Amino acid sequence: MTIPSRRTFAIISHPDAGKTTLTEKLLLEGGAIHLAGEVKARGANRRARSDWMKIEQQRGISVTSSVMTFERTRDGETITFNLLDTPGHEDFSEDTYRTLTAVDSAVMVIDAAKGIEPQTRKLFEVCRLRNLPIITFVNKVDREGRETFGLLDEVADQLQLDVCPMSWPVGMGGEFEGIYDFATNRLMQPTGPSKEFDGTRHQFTGLDDPKLGDFLSPRALERLREEAELSQGGYASFDLDRYRQGDLTPVYFGSALKLFGVTELIDALAAHAPPPRAQPAEPAAVEPDASEVTGFIFKVQANMDPQHRDRIAFMRLVSGKFKRGMKLTPSGSGKPLAVHSPILFFAQDRELADEAFPGDIIGIPNHGALRVGDTLSEKPGLRFTGLPNFAPEILRRVQLKDPTKTKQLRKALDDLSEEGVIQVFYPEIGSQWIVGVVGQLQLEVLISRLDAEYKVAAVLEPSPFDTARWIGGDDAAIKEMVSYNSANMAKDRDDNLVFMAKSAWDIGYQQERHPKVTFSATRER
Ligand code: G4P
């Protein structure tokens, strides 16, 4: 099967580094587009987005992941870019992790004045776990920033990555005179009172081209020549294989706000970023050119329109040519599902997808049949691996304000755990349900959504437990361990046995006493 060109990627950054601005400018350059968060939210309904979106607005963070698509023609070939937005807030590492399982590469945005910040680092570690290739974009060079060599060395040292500057800023802030592109020997300069980039690229034969003197001040030119020479001697040269293995990052300088470096970034993604890759699975990894249609669900978003209890499952297509109406079998329910109205996140508005290819993201409307982590395939029996649930770091008891609403609460907790917003644990003894999250903000989202979408008023109380572990191993050993610890046992949403631990010490102690039982901090679905 010939696969059309796709680049499926995410942007990782610390809040405020400029991810939103860069995303907008990429879409603008790409001539699109449409935000998946707005699917179904048309006209008056746009205003009726549920309350938890308000939290998002108030806090200035993005809680949901969305999908944005744009195209670019390069050397006669049309390339489709699928940009998956990752929530930038540290509280959403679990959701972010899952989104990063659905991309083939990442763009790391760094603020030139701040360098590597904690969230950049965390997200980078997740990328490294998956050997995702990373292109670095040093943003805001139109403002006063840190010294260029210092920034590059920080990336190299802190992330233990080889860096390869692909362009160079000619001064920063008040002294900013442009960006010089090493590969093409072109200079981009600020113009007009807004000091934006107007798309004019001045061509030179090289850094020793005397014509450069017509465009740059003598001091800036001398500095550029000096720094360029030093940088070319001091850093690795570009190596496609090393980039694709995640060992080297090409670094582009720019200003998303003033449009510097945006086209270069798209060109870099087109030229270097990997096409859809094989995905690990059982019984065997699936190559993108396999003929059978396969994919996995990395995100479920419910109640986008409060008037309809719809939910959209986001599927990353791994192999095959998907056609509308096709029957796929989810690994969860095992019941074949005809995908009649898939959504592709193309163009100005949502479009019914007639076909899609490996690397594409398809939104599948459903009523709860699809869950995060599900594999979908034409033939049953396949299961993609590597989409874990993480052990929660914060556990809370859910206390209803109105005890007659138990049924609604159970439905809401089940729904929200399917979506991956929270994890829910039903203790074997007692009736108080426990929710688990990896970050505090998820708890606020939970309470707000319970109220807005399910009309359930609830409060969260401290739980006697600190964390949870999924139990596995030898049946007899499990039985014995359970008999000693019945007050600590619970079931998760999928009926898996979970040990609720009071402390890390507790886990160690149980592990010692029951060596044939495994206590796992992640669970693959
Ligand atoms: P985020 O999504 O990573 O959190 O960052 P966002 O794009 O929202 O950018 C954060 C702030 O940085 C915004 O300013 C934005 O305008 C500014 N910014 C982004 N890119 C650049 C750049 O290349 N140069 C300069 N000088 N500024 C940049 P703000 O004042 O917080 O918001 P706004 O009121 O300007 O929108």
Side-chain angles (χ1 to χ4, degrees):
M1 189 183 85
T2 37
I3 312 171
S5 279
R6 296 290 188 267
R7 300 287 183 272
T8 303
F9 71 104
I11 300 180
I12 60 169
S13 63
H14 191 84
D16 253 15
K19 186 177 73 171
T20 311
T21 312
L22 181 63
T23 301
E24 279 169 18
K25 298 294 158 77
L26 285 172
L27 297 181
L28 207 74
E29 276 290 311
I33 300 321
H34 169 69
L35 303 181
E38 285 173 12
V39 169
K40 277 240 166 189
R42 297 191 203 199
N45 284 347
R46 240 185 250 278
R47 267 169 270 125
R49 290 225 220 142
S50 50
D51 269 9
W52 60 286
M53 296 274 189
K54 279 189 209 146
I55 297 188
E56 188 174 329
Q57 284 159 10
Q58 282 159 8
R59 297 246 183 154
I61 52 166
S62 91
V63 177
T64 53
S65 297
S66 20
V67 184
M68 291 149 280
T69 298
F70 58 98
E71 282 183 349
R72 185 137 185 121
T73 302
R74 185 176 178 270
D75 301 335
E77 182 192 29
T78 300
I79 299 178
T80 300
F81 297 82
N82 297 314
L83 167 53
L84 274 55
D85 190 22
T86 51
H89 198 277
E90 60 183 318
D91 277 355
F92 284 80
S93 47
E94 204 177 348
D95 201 6
T96 303
Y97 184 94
R98 295 207 196 96
T99 298
L100 291 173
T101 60
V103 299
D104 301 305
S105 72
V107 170
M108 175 169 74
V109 179
I110 295 173
D111 185 327
K114 297 188 174 149
I116 302 282
E117 296 177 86
Q119 185 68 357
T120 336
R121 212 196 151 96
K122 255 194 196 172
L123 289 165
F124 170 79
E125 295 300 341
V126 176
C127 292
R128 170 156 279 168
L129 277 177
R130 302 199 62 236
N131 296 327
L132 280 182
I134 291 180
I135 293 178
T136 302
F137 185 82
V138 179
N139 191 30
K140 306 196 189 183
V141 296
D142 58 304
R143 286 213 311 220
E144 236 37 83
R146 294 207 345 228
E147 192 257 326
T148 312
F149 288 102
L151 279 166
L152 289 167
D153 292 345
E154 184 171 291
V155 175
D157 294 345
Q158 288 212 13
L159 307 183
Q160 308 207 322
L161 260 185
D162 263 346
V163 294
C164 169
M166 306 295 273
S167 62
W168 201 263
V170 189
M172 284 193 206
E175 293 183 359
F176 179 59
E177 293 191 28
I179 291 178
Y180 190 86
D181 188 275
F182 288 143
T184 59
N185 286 308
R186 287 176 178 167
L187 178 70
M188 293 152 268
Q189 290 198 288
T191 44
S194 68
K195 304 221 170 217
E196 283 190 9
F197 176 53
D198 69 358
T200 313
R201 291 173 173 81
H202 304 289
Q203 181 71 59
F204 302 94
T205 53
L207 278 160
D208 48 7
D209 191 330
K211 252 182 25 195
L212 267 166
D214 301 341
F215 294 86
L216 298 173
S217 67
R219 196 166 149 246
L221 179 55
E222 193 190 330
R223 208 170 128 189
L224 170 67
R225 284 180 174 149
E226 247 177 56
E227 291 183 346
E229 199 183 322
L230 272 175
S231 96
Q232 266 149 23
Y235 298 109
S237 42
F238 183 69
D239 179 324
L240 186 66
D241 288 339
R242 297 195 60 225
Y243 154 67
R244 288 203 175 166
Q245 282 156 13
D247 294 332
L248 172 145
T249 180
V251 181
Y252 292 82
F253 291 86
S255 160
L257 192 67
K258 309 272 179 185
L259 276 167
F260 282 91
V262 178
T263 305
E264 282 66 24
L265 183 60
I266 297 180
D267 287 346
L269 284 162
H272 311 311
R277 57 187 197 168
Q279 293 283 341
E282 283 170 6
V286 178
E287 295 291 334
D289 59 358
S291 57
E292 191 193 338
V293 172
T294 67
F296 60 87
I297 307 294
F298 64 94
K299 179 178 177 60
V300 174
Q301 201 166 328
N303 305 338
M304 287 206 220
D305 178 351
Q307 261 139 55
H308 302 100
R309 276 287 155 84
D310 65 337
R311 47 179 62 212
I312 309 278
F314 293 79
M315 176 174 87
R316 148 94 198 214
L317 197 61
V318 174
S319 67
K321 178 176 169 182
F322 170 85
K323 290 206 178 102
R324 183 142 77 97
M326 183 165 232
K327 269 202 178 127
L328 296 175
T329 305
S331 54
S333 71
K335 283 189 212 136
L337 179 108
V339 189
H340 288 302
S341 29
I343 298 161
L344 258 198
F345 301 100
F346 266 173
Q348 301 305 327
D349 214 331
R350 72 175 179 144
E351 269 182 4
L352 277 188
D354 280 325
E355 50 184 43
F357 296 90
D360 285 339
I361 310 299
I362 305 167
I364 307 178
N366 69 101
H367 298 290
L370 295 177
R371 317 257 301 265
V372 169
D374 273 355
T375 297
L376 277 97
S377 58
E378 280 181 281
K379 284 183 239 132
L382 179 78
R383 195 175 68 83
F384 286 108
T385 54
L387 278 164
N389 266 342
F390 292 91
E393 287 167 22
I394 304 173
L395 292 168
R396 291 283 180 272
R397 272 188 175 144
V398 190
Q399 179 75 39
L400 269 174
K401 286 189 185 158
D402 172 359
T404 64
K405 296 260 183 153
T406 311
K407 236 173 98 184
Q408 287 89 331
L409 178 65
R410 171 109 195 193
K411 161 99 178 75
L413 294 180
D414 281 352
D415 277 3
L416 294 173
S417 72
E418 262 168 39
E419 241 187 85
V421 173
I422 52 157
Q423 294 181 45
V424 59
F425 302 100
Y426 300 109
E428 301 275 77
I429 296 179
S431 57
Q432 275 198 322
W433 298 332
I434 293 175
V435 294
V437 294
V438 289
Q440 184 68 29
L441 185 67
Q442 277 169 282
L443 295 175
E444 289 175 40
V445 171
L446 168 67
I447 290 297
S448 166
R449 289 189 64 180
L450 281 177
D451 185 39
E453 292 164 27
Y454 297 90
K455 310 284 172 256
V456 172
V459 287
L460 299 173
E461 294 180 338
S463 134
F465 306 113
D466 216 34
T467 186
R469 289 290 181 273
W470 283 276
I471 296 303
D474 178 82
D475 282 347
I478 293 176
K479 219 167 155 188
E480 187 189 309
M481 183 234 152
V482 170
S483 71
Y484 283 110
N485 292 287
S486 49
N488 291 62
M489 303 313 297
K491 291 267 174 72
D492 73 5
R493 168 76 181 86
D494 297 314
D495 254 3
N496 294 300
L497 196 58
V498 178
F499 174 71
M500 309 298 290
K502 290 200 173 70
S503 63
W505 181 87
D506 205 7
I507 299 167
Y509 180 72
Q510 294 299 336
Q511 183 81 81
E512 231 168 71
R513 288 191 57 182
H514 307 281
K516 288 187 176 159
V517 176
T518 57
F519 295 77
S520 176
T522 56
R523 186 177 66 79
E524 287 210 356
R525 307 178 56 143

